[in-house]
Amino acid sequence: MTANAIILRQKTGRLAEVLEERAGVKGPTLQARLQRARRLLPREVRAAGARIVAAERRADEGGMRDSDALRFDQDYRLVLRHLQGLDARARQRARRWALLRDGVTAFAAGMLLGLGLVSSGVI
């Protein structure tokens, strides 16, 4: 394994750790974690993650070139910057508020529908 491949492995390991810490996503590999976190990631971050996984595979085979290393570094920074902006607790709070809001909306819609049916004499 070359020095580039070792550095690449360290960076992909760091991304896997950040995915677990910030997004709460677990998995055996970086690719599995990125698949599980796909709903949380914008399109360009998902694409960068896929390129990182492909670069990791190429580095294991010894096919990493300088241009690939530069692109890998740009993708790594993009994904890491996005993941560091995530907060698992804030996401969980937002999910709870959305559930509460949707429940209240459904209840109010049901009440209005019921009142409408009663006032029109259907019920």
Side-chain angles (χ1 to χ4, degrees):
M1 199 181 275
T2 65
N4 276 347
I6 293 170
I7 292 169
L8 192 135
R9 278 283 188 188
Q10 290 172 345
K11 287 183 175 184
T12 56
R14 176 69 183 136
L15 286 179
E17 289 173 9
V18 173
L19 266 169
E20 186 172 349
E21 291 169 6
R22 293 295 194 151
V25 178
K26 294 183 181 180
T29 63
L30 177 62
Q31 183 176 9
R33 290 179 187 196
L34 286 169
Q35 279 294 322
R36 289 186 179 147
R38 69 184 173 272
R39 292 178 296 128
L40 302 173
L41 304 174
R43 181 176 294 150
E44 65 270 3
V45 175
R46 285 193 311 261
R51 288 190 298 267
I52 288 171
V53 169
E56 182 181 25
R57 211 173 296 127
R58 279 194 312 271
D60 288 342
E61 298 167 359
M64 192 74 168
R65 296 185 305 270
D66 289 337
S67 62
D68 291 342
L70 179 63
R71 181 65 183 183
F72 172 83
D73 199 41
Q74 291 170 346
D75 291 337
Y76 171 77
R77 280 195 228 119
L78 175 71
V79 174
L80 189 62
R81 189 172 37 246
H82 180 77
L83 291 176
Q84 288 176 338
L86 292 179
D87 183 14
R89 288 185 185 161
R91 202 177 80 249
Q92 190 175 24
R93 275 193 308 270
R95 193 179 305 134
R96 285 183 186 153
W97 276 112
L99 183 63
L100 179 64
R101 183 190 63 230
D102 293 346
V104 168
T105 302
F107 178 74
M111 291 297 293
L112 288 173
L113 180 64
L115 286 173
L117 291 174
V118 167
S119 69
S120 67
V122 174
I123 295 179

